[in-house]
Amino acid sequence: HEVTAGLDTCLVYVYEGSGQVSGDHPLTEGSVAVLDATKEDTRSVQLKSGESGLKALLFAGKRLNEPIAWHGPIVMNTQRQIHETFDPLQRGDPPPPQACSVELQEGFGSTELA
């Protein structure tokens, strides 16, 4: 898999089986590999399955270079934002439901290696 130019980070999450990513990095079920995709020669991600096969999710994106604060399912940039988010929830006033749409890049798909 080739990570699109302009994206600088790649994550591989193994949700079933085991194998290797990019030649020599072992992966087991539940593990995550963080790969640097800043240079052209490091944008290629190669997966090799183990004896039991390998099912993995590949994520690629651009670093935001922002601070991260989290508590439970809430992820924000500061602890203050976390508290501001939890206050309405603790009062029993949840945010309204929202729907979003996701657009996939051309050629993006899933691959299972056996």
Side-chain angles (χ1 to χ4, degrees), residues 90-104:
Q90 290 172 336
R91 290 193 310 265
D93 186 22
Q98 297 181 5
C100 65
S101 66
V102 176
E103 203 171 302
L104 296 178

Side-chain angles (χ1 to χ4, degrees), residues 22-74:
S22 295
D24 58 352
H25 303 287
L27 293 173
T28 57
E29 191 169 316
S31 65
V32 176
V34 180
L35 306 170
D36 179 7
T38 56
K39 299 178 199 108
E40 189 172 335
D41 62 335
T42 60
R43 272 194 224 118
S44 178
V45 178
Q46 298 172 0
L47 299 172
K48 181 179 178 184
S49 68
E51 291 179 16
S52 61
L54 172 67
K55 292 184 181 179
L57 298 173
L58 178 104
F59 301 92
K62 187 147 184 68
R63 288 186 194 108
L64 296 176
N65 295 319
E66 294 180 0
I68 298 173
W70 71 87
H71 183 84
I74 308 294

Side-chain angles (χ1 to χ4, degrees), residues 67-87:
I68 298 173
W70 71 87
H71 183 84
I74 308 294
V75 179
M76 297 287 188
N77 293 112
T78 67
Q79 286 298 322
R80 180 173 169 235
Q81 290 173 326
I82 296 284
H83 292 294
E84 289 171 356
T85 302
F86 269 106
D87 284 344

